[in-house]
Amino acid sequence: MRDDFIMALIMNNILKVKRVFRCGRRYLLQRNESATAEDLTKFAECPPCVFSGIQPTGVPHLGNYLCAIRKWVDMQQQYDRMFVSIVDLHSITVPQDPATLRENILVMAACLMACGIDHEKTILFQQSTVAYHTELAWILGCLCTLPRLSKLPQWKEKSKVVKDPGVGLYTYPILQSADILLYKATVVPVGEDQIIHLELSQDLARAFNRIYSIIFPYAKPLIGDVSKVRCLKDPACKMSKSNPNPMSRIDLQDSADLVATKIKKSVTDSIRLLSYDPQERPGVANLINMHSLITNTRPEDIVQEFGNLNKVQYKEKVTEFINGTVQPINKEMTRLLSDKHYLHTVLDTGMNRASEIAEVNMKEIKQAVGLR
Ligand code: TRP
């Protein structure tokens, strides 16, 4: 089917762009949305492959779960090849305490598994244990210009708040590109704020394919709407790990009582009854959104069903639904974290499986560059 499609494209002479071999630096990072016929034929050989990464910076919150991790869990059914990487090298772009980082890597592994990442199906691994990531990042870094990186918003924002920001913070998106390209990923589930990084990975893939040889597919983003779950104290912002007030979010390791307190104290408004109006009543809309995401019900239907409750009663209802999701994860995380040896075994297996694929791809990449 895909071959037929490609043949039709060629026949219709839609793709007029001829690929230029060894075209030199002037082609670096030029954005060209269309793939050539040759690209497409090559990519048809790339099996669908999903890659996503998450930083080990503490216990994920409900927003991370509902808008990202849960999507990965569902995707496991659709895709035969899927990677979930605990991107520890990304997290050290800002200072980390070594003991905390070490612990957080295991916490993240336990959390992902407790959320439903099946480590037998999905390749769940710790980024730094596959050294090819940094090796490929170097090769890609040689194709990336400084102005291209300086335009990326994360650098602009973070370099302002971090004291003496390091080069790693600047080149971070190149490492992210390497994560994606090393496994020839074709689908990358990300939050909206990461789309710009995915574009860089596509651009670097294009630059590499033009200069050396066609190796990399151009991965497509699968955008999760992470903005749906808002801060409990100020619904103008997203629920965020970096908010210093823990009452502003529901963490996946919060006890049932703590969840109840956080929801009870969440900011709403003075209107007694329930209605869904994200503009005028963002706090209430946030509660309804969480409820809607958890139960897969439309906000309008929720208002219809629970409209007779006052806000206090509705908060109790939402707490029940949230705890129905959070407590099983919390319990499973605690169980998994009590056996660190097992978690290490899981990550070691992930490392071996990821390395095997990365090694084959890296040989091809080095060959193309002339490094072997
Ligand atoms: N930069 C991403 C974040 O901060 C994490 C990440 C690293 C990632 N490598 C990745 C996400 C590769 C998707 C694909 O959320």
Side-chain angles (χ1 to χ4, degrees):
M1 187 64 182
R2 241 190 312 179
D3 285 350
D4 288 347
F5 173 63
I6 292 160
M7 278 314 290
L9 283 180
I10 298 167
M11 296 299 221
N12 288 332
N13 225 351
I14 292 169
L15 297 157
K16 296 183 189 101
V17 197
K18 271 225 179 98
R19 188 172 150 263
V20 188
F21 252 104
R22 303 237 165 260
C23 45
R25 289 191 72 85
R26 71 203 153 92
Y27 280 91
L28 299 192
L29 290 184
Q30 180 184 305
R31 252 198 108 76
N32 173 4
E33 293 303 331
S34 61
T36 65
E38 204 175 339
D39 286 349
L40 286 175
T41 319
K42 265 272 183 165
F43 301 160
E45 293 164 11
C46 288
C49 168
V50 182
F51 188 100
S52 207
I54 189 162
Q55 295 193 35
T57 45
V59 184
H61 57 65
L62 187 62
N64 297 136
Y65 172 70
L66 292 175
C67 305
I69 302 173
R70 198 175 61 160
K71 296 249 158 61
W72 305 346
V73 172
D74 293 343
M75 287 175 88
Q76 295 181 119
Q77 307 313 318
Q78 296 161 37
Y79 290 90
D80 284 335
R81 183 172 277 194
M82 180 154 164
F83 296 83
V84 173
S85 183
I86 300 171
V87 289
D88 50 357
L89 293 173
H90 279 91
S91 66
I92 60 165
T93 53
V94 294
Q96 300 285 337
D97 168 61
T100 312
L101 176 59
R102 204 171 289 123
E103 175 68 18
N104 277 344
I105 291 164
L106 293 184
V107 166
M108 187 52 81
C111 180
L112 291 167
M113 286 159 71
C115 287
I117 295 294
D118 174 355
H119 65 277
E120 287 187 357
K121 191 158 194 311
T122 295
I123 301 182
L124 172 63
F125 74 106
Q126 182 187 340
Q127 180 191 33
S128 66
T129 62
V130 180
Y132 299 116
H133 288 251
T134 44
E135 197 175 2
L136 181 55
W138 180 262
I139 294 173
L140 296 175
C142 295
L143 302 181
C144 189
T145 62
L146 292 179
R148 182 70 174 80
L149 286 181
S150 63
K151 280 189 208 123
L152 298 174
Q154 205 160 56
W155 164 256
K156 284 195 194 158
E157 284 157 25
K158 279 207 180 167
S159 58
K160 273 187 223 141
V161 290
V162 175
K163 192 174 168 278
D164 298 330
V167 174
L169 197 61
Y170 190 72
T171 57
Y172 163 119
I174 299 178
L175 181 59
Q176 182 164 355
S177 301
D179 298 340
I180 296 164
L181 299 183
L182 184 55
Y183 302 98
K184 301 190 181 182
T186 57
V187 181
V188 179
V190 281
E192 236 164 290
D193 60 329
Q194 294 292 319
I195 295 176
I196 195 121
H197 291 163
L198 206 81
E199 281 175 3
L200 178 77
S201 85
Q202 293 169 341
D203 288 350
L204 288 172
R206 278 191 194 94
F208 188 101
N209 288 349
R210 282 201 195 91
I211 295 166
Y212 298 118
S213 90
I214 304 168
I215 287 184
F216 299 122
Y218 308 137
K220 296 253 176 328
L222 201 94
I223 299 144
D225 187 4
V226 282
S227 58
K228 258 202 171 154
V229 178
R230 317 295 297 177
C231 170
L232 299 178
K233 288 295 175 195
D234 176 9
C237 354
K238 296 195 287 192
M239 189 175 278
S240 161
K241 267 194 223 181
S242 52
N243 190 315
N245 182 0
M247 294 301 280
S248 70
R249 63 179 167 266
I250 306 285
D251 287 325
L252 295 178
Q253 269 189 318
D254 285 348
S255 69
D257 286 348
L258 188 53
V259 169
T261 310
K262 286 181 175 181
I263 293 298
K264 204 165 154 191
K265 295 196 169 164
S266 68
V267 169
T268 48
D269 51 46
S270 55
I271 305 167
R272 209 172 141 264
L273 289 176
L274 200 63
S275 65
Y276 185 69
D277 186 344
Q279 291 299 323
E280 297 299 320
R281 307 189 67 193
V284 174
N286 187 31
L287 296 175
I288 298 176
N289 279 342
M290 289 189 278
H291 181 170
S292 152
L293 285 165
I294 289 170
T295 57
N296 273 324
T297 321
R298 292 183 318 151
E300 302 77 52
D301 296 338
I302 290 176
V303 173
Q304 188 93 42
E305 191 181 342
F306 297 91
N308 59 335
L309 301 184
N310 65 35
K311 247 178 4 227
V312 176
Q313 292 166 325
Y314 183 62
K315 278 185 166 178
E316 284 165 8
K317 218 34 212 169
V318 172
T319 301
E320 255 174 57
F321 283 114
I322 293 178
N323 272 329
T325 293
V326 169
Q327 293 319 316
I329 294 174
N330 185 359
K331 204 167 146 213
E332 180 64 0
M333 264 184 89
T334 309
R335 191 187 71 80
L336 287 165
L337 281 166
S338 69
D339 188 352
K340 302 247 161 90
H341 175 74
Y342 173 68
L343 291 173
H344 280 296
T345 319
V346 168
L347 290 178
D348 281 350
T349 309
M351 169 186 73
N352 291 334
R353 289 169 71 196
S355 298
E356 216 174 284
I357 297 162
E359 191 182 344
V360 173
N361 290 344
M362 204 60 207
K363 275 192 182 145
E364 190 188 7
I365 294 162
K366 283 183 151 182
Q367 188 94 40
V369 178
L371 296 171
R372 50 180 280 139

